[in-house]
């Protein structure tokens, strides 16, 4: 059994290493886990606590730039997130992986070396499913469970570049299975192992807080005759072990534990316990905390291959299944999914934040397949043949969908919502490339098809494209930002289709202010849904104006918070400033700017031309 499970894991790793270069950096990884990885290595190398966070590199460059060897990471990493917004355990492992595979051995790119962490995390959970399922329900069930998970489009896609959720899913699942073993078989080592795994999972993501009530519910569901004696005391010691491990692998707590805990809990309270509005920003208002959002439950139904859902139901209702095993399978799905229905609970990006449900769902589906085989075919040689055939039939829909959507399986939707195209047409939140993986593919397309010495503008999540630019964008194509100046020749606009994240300048470009010569030249699609668009504007005044409109908005957004504070603190002068802006005409830009310079403090002066132009355009409407 161990050998077969190891073969499953080795096969996955071999396939993943082959496909790994198809996956690029992600929205979150560029801002958090990638740069923090090397900051943590630097901390462990010299003990400098400044490396335990990622302050803005523009204001504290010496702190934000790691001094370790891996500062030569091939991608450009801005590093803008606080430590409590990152998954620091996976970040540390990614840094170590990069140090070995890229820095020392030189066998792969630094990006792929970082992404070995989710790949190997997926391998671990596949092996665990095969071993646990094989021992509890039979070898065929265990192997099929692992294969069903590996061929689930969403899990497959996330397993290549998700440094947040896949490692946490692996640790969460291992802790849950270990806890089941501790409850039913006892032994101090099993309880300690459960605590160690739970503590590591908690250091990866706060989702693991729900592991403890999940195990408590499991303990109550297991018949007393099947529970070990004195399990409650052992479980309490396991919780203490988890807390100790959590602190041990979280160096942010070592210097000022209460302050770090206050920061972390404050962040979770402010952001985690609110609904997330369109665009990923937390909604405001007291009502947000009392509303139930069905996004997570609906996406479980919409993004899981339908045969997998049906077979899991058969598995849950299998006759003769022990009460303990049934509780294990049901709670393994119900708690991760059900927690998204807590009032005000945060959820977005499909099922990314609740991937913990998938391993136990696949185990239930594998059991359901075995149940159907036993019900359809009597004992004998024919049952084994039928098992293989039905197992292949169970795997085929997910495997085909995974192959069809690669490397953009995070946009997979099933037939309940009309596929990805149907979900996008219905306006389903997140029915697109919500993590910017398609920029990796878009940059490659521009390398093949882009005109000589063209410029590229990325108005949505530009940090993802900027990170990949040094290794992915053709050398003669310039990636623009608000400091680079206007395009030299032709201009390309590339963006993922997240309309709730579109800046006003992009909405104008796609609407009434679209340049006459602009054309859409490339798209990336999955099952009828457009994930990424690339538009071309020939070099000339229209290209320059398109860039200028975008730049004016970026500059304005940057100073807008401070500008509003100043207006609120200086009511009389603020009224004069507002009146000046209202009287502005395009022909009088210099005069308007001069009047504003006389009224506003120097920190706003450089931004005034952009601010005046942008506010004038916005007042005109689109």
């Amino acid at each position: 059994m161990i050998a077969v499970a190891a073969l499953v894991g080795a096969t996955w790793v071999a396939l993943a290493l082959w496909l790994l270069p198809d996956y690029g950096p992600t929205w979150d990884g560029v801002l958090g886990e990638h740069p923090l990885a090397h900051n943590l290595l630097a901390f462990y190398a010299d003990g400098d606590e400044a490396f335990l966070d990622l302050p803005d590199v523009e204001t504290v460059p010496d702190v934000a730039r790691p001094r370790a060897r891996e500062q030569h990471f091939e991608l450009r990493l801005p590093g803008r997130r606080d430590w409590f917004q990152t998954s620091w355990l996976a970040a540390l492992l990614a840094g170590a992986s990069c140090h070995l595979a890229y820095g020392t051995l030189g066998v792969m790119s630094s990006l792929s070396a970082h992404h070995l962490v989710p790949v190997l995390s997926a391998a671990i959970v596949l092996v665990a499913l095969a071993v646990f399922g094989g021992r509890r329900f039979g070898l065929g069930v265990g192997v099929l469970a692992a294969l069903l998970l590996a061929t689930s489009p969403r899990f497959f896609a996330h397993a290549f570049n998700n440094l947040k959720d896949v490692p946490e899913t692996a640790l969460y699942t291992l802790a849950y299975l270990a806890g089941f073993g501790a409850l039913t078989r006892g032994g101090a080592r099993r309880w300690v192992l459960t605590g160690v795994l739970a503590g590591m999972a908690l250091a990866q993501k706060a989702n693991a807080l729900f592991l403890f009530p999940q195990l408590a519910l499991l303990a109550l569901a297991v018949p007393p005759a099947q529970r070990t004696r004195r399990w409650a005391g052992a479980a309490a010691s396991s919780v203490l072990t988890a807390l100790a491990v959590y602190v041990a692998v979280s160096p942010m707590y070592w210097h000022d534990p209460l302050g770090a805990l206050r920061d972390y809990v404050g962040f979770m309270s402010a952001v985690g316990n609110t609904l997330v509005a369109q665009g990923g920003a937390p909604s405001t208002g007291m009502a947000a905390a009392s509303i139930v959002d069905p996004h997570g439950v609906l996406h479980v139904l919409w993004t899981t291959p339908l045969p997998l859902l049906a077979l899991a139901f058969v598995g849950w209702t299998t006759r003769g299944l022990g009460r303990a095993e049934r509780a294990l399978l049901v709670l393994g799905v119900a708690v991760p999914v059900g927690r998204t229905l807590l009032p005000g609970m945060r959820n977005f990006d499909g099922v990314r934040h609740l991937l913990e449900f998938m391993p136990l769902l696949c185990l239930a589906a594998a059991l359901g397949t075995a149940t159907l085989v036993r019900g359809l075919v009597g004992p004998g040689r024919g049952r084994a043949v039928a098992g293989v055939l039905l197992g292949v039939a169970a795997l085929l829909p997910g495997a085909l969908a995974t192959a069809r959507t690669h490397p953009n399986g995070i946009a997979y939707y099933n037939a309940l919502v009309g596929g990805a195209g149907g979900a996008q047409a219905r306006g389903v939140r997140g029915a697109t490339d919500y993590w910017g993986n398609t920029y990796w593919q878009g940059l490659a397309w521009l390398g093949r098809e882009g005109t000589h010495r063209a410029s590229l503008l990325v108005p949505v999540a530009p940090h993802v494209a900027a990170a990949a630019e040094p290794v992915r964008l053709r050398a003669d194509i310039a990636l623009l930002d608000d400091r680079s100046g206007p395009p030299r020749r032709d201009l390309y606009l590339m963006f993922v289709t997240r309309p709730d994240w579109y800046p006003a300048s992009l909405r104008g470009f796609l609407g009434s202010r679209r340049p006459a010569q602009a054309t859409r030249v490339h798209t990336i699609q999955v099952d009828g849904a457009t994930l990424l668009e690339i538009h071309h504007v020939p070099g000339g005044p229209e290209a320059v104006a398109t860039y200028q409109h975008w730049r004016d908005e970026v500059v304005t957004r940057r100073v807008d918070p401070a500008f509003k504070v100043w207006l609120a603190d200086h009511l009389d002068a603020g009224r004069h400033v507002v009146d000046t802006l209202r009287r502005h005409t395009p022909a009088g830009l210099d005069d308007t700017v001069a009047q504003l310079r006389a009224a506003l403090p120097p920190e706003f002066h450089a931004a005034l031309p952009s601010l005046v132009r942008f506010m004038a355009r916005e007042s005109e409407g689109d």
Side-chain angles (χ1 to χ4, degrees):
M1 184 178 300
I2 299 296
V4 174
L7 179 61
V8 170
T11 303
W12 161 261
V13 171
L15 175 65
L17 289 176
W18 178 46
L19 298 176
L20 196 53
D22 295 343
Y23 291 81
T26 64
W27 196 302
D28 285 9
V30 167
L31 294 176
E33 284 74 29
H34 290 314
L36 184 61
H38 302 298
N39 273 24
L40 288 174
L41 288 185
F43 166 75
Y44 282 108
D46 62 18
D48 187 347
E49 293 170 1
F51 287 106
L52 294 179
D53 208 347
L54 290 171
D56 193 319
V57 294
E58 294 179 357
T59 57
V60 197
D62 293 334
V63 173
R65 186 183 301 117
R67 293 194 293 266
R69 177 180 180 184
E70 283 70 29
Q71 66 181 336
H72 304 298
F73 190 50
E74 297 164 297
L75 272 64
R76 182 180 299 129
L77 302 175
R80 292 291 199 276
R81 286 201 165 155
D82 293 310
W83 67 268
F84 43 77
Q85 298 184 62
T86 68
S87 296
W88 58 88
L89 180 60
L92 176 61
L93 295 175
S97 172
C98 188
H99 177 80
L100 176 63
Y102 168 65
T104 302
L105 300 177
V107 295
M108 60 179 59
S109 71
S110 56
L111 180 64
S112 291
H114 273 236
H115 288 164
L116 277 179
V117 174
V119 164
L120 295 178
S121 297
I124 290 170
V125 76
L126 293 176
V127 170
L129 271 186
V131 172
F132 182 89
R135 288 176 174 172
R136 284 281 170 175
F137 307 111
L139 179 60
V141 171
V143 171
L144 181 58
L147 295 178
L148 287 171
L149 181 61
T151 55
S152 297
R154 292 257 176 164
F155 182 85
F156 182 91
H158 277 295
F160 285 89
N161 59 3
N162 186 335
L163 280 161
K164 289 180 176 291
D165 306 288
V166 174
E168 190 267 343
T169 294
L171 292 166
Y172 192 105
T173 302
L174 291 175
Y176 184 54
L177 297 180
F180 179 80
L183 275 169
T184 56
R185 300 176 64 186
R189 285 183 297 179
R190 291 189 180 91
W191 285 112
V192 170
L193 177 62
T194 301
V196 169
L197 291 168
M200 294 175 68
L202 189 58
Q204 178 62 17
K205 283 196 75 176
N207 290 17
L209 283 170
F210 289 88
L211 180 61
F212 301 106
Q214 183 172 325
L215 286 170
L217 290 172
L218 181 63
L220 295 175
V222 172
Q226 291 182 253
R227 288 199 301 257
T228 59
R229 294 181 179 180
R230 300 176 181 174
W231 66 271
S237 66
S238 185
V239 172
L240 294 177
T241 300
L243 294 176
V245 170
Y246 173 70
V247 173
V249 299
S250 305
M252 299 78 174
Y253 292 99
W254 297 354
H255 173 64
D256 181 13
L258 293 180
L261 184 62
R262 182 177 58 250
D263 290 341
Y264 193 41
V265 173
F267 170 72
M268 289 298 171
S269 298
V271 179
N273 192 32
T274 61
L275 285 177
V276 172
Q278 293 285 319
S283 60
T284 57
M286 294 297 292
S290 63
I291 299 175
V292 172
D293 183 7
H295 180 274
V297 174
L298 290 175
H299 273 77
V300 169
L301 297 175
W302 292 342
T303 66
T304 305
L306 291 176
L308 195 56
L309 291 173
L311 289 170
F313 180 78
V314 175
W316 291 327
T317 57
T318 295
R319 288 185 180 180
L321 183 63
R323 180 176 162 184
E325 286 76 12
R326 197 185 308 275
L328 171 82
L329 297 175
V330 172
L331 290 172
V333 175
V335 172
V337 176
R339 72 165 187 255
T340 68
L341 293 176
L342 291 175
M345 180 58 69
R346 174 184 193 177
N347 193 66
F348 56 97
D349 292 354
V351 294
R352 177 173 76 81
H353 292 284
L354 55 147
L355 279 180
E356 305 95 343
F357 84 92
M358 294 199 74
L360 273 296
L361 182 80
C362 291
L363 185 55
L367 178 62
T369 305
T371 300
L372 289 179
V373 171
R374 288 194 299 270
L376 294 172
V377 183
R381 190 172 181 181
R383 178 177 286 183
V385 174
V388 171
L389 293 176
L390 194 56
V392 171
L395 287 168
L396 204 55
L400 292 176
T402 296
R404 185 180 69 249
T405 59
H406 167 79
N408 300 307
I410 63 170
Y412 167 78
Y413 282 83
N414 63 33
L416 286 180
V417 73
Q424 201 169 77
R426 296 184 186 192
V428 172
R429 192 174 79 222
T432 184
D433 172 22
Y434 49 75
W435 247 13
N437 181 63
T438 48
Y439 283 153
W440 190 249
Q441 302 149 53
L443 293 174
W445 182 88
L446 285 168
R448 298 189 302 269
E449 306 293 339
T451 58
H452 180 61
R453 296 194 66 198
S455 296
L456 171 63
L457 181 62
V458 181
V460 179
H463 64 280
V464 181
E469 180 263 338
V471 298
R472 196 68 169 176
L473 186 61
R474 203 175 71 203
D476 66 292
I477 299 178
L479 180 63
L480 303 180
D481 59 31
D482 61 291
R483 297 176 179 85
S484 60
R488 301 168 298 186
R489 295 186 181 179
D490 291 358
L491 175 66
Y492 290 93
L493 265 75
M494 179 175 73
F495 52 91
V496 290
T497 55
R498 295 190 68 174
D500 42 346
W501 283 86
Y502 288 178
S505 54
L506 178 57
R507 292 195 298 270
F509 175 87
L510 297 172
S512 61
R513 299 193 188 102
R514 184 169 180 81
Q517 300 183 67
T519 56
R520 189 172 70 173
V521 293
H522 184 63
T523 62
I524 293 176
Q525 298 189 340
V526 163
D527 294 343
T530 300
L531 310 186
L532 175 135
E533 296 185 10
I534 299 179
H535 294 247
H536 173 253
V537 183
E542 288 188 335
V544 173
T546 298
Y547 166 79
Q548 190 63 58
H549 293 170
W550 172 82
R551 182 186 181 277
D552 287 344
E553 181 174 11
V554 170
V555 172
T556 300
R557 299 296 187 201
R558 185 179 296 133
V559 302
D560 186 60
F563 185 63
K564 289 179 178 176
V565 169
W566 188 90
L567 290 177
D569 291 343
H570 303 79
L571 295 179
D572 292 337
R575 280 192 289 269
H576 171 68
V577 168
V578 171
D579 289 341
T580 301
L581 287 169
R582 286 173 178 168
R583 293 194 303 268
H584 166 72
T585 61
L589 176 64
D590 292 341
D591 182 56
T592 301
V593 169
Q595 293 182 55
L596 293 175
R597 281 179 180 271
L600 290 168
E603 57 262 31
F604 296 115
H605 290 181
L608 286 177
S610 291
L611 186 147
V612 171
R613 284 192 298 261
F614 176 71
M615 295 187 71
R617 278 195 301 272
E618 287 302 290
S619 65
E620 295 170 2
D622 187 12

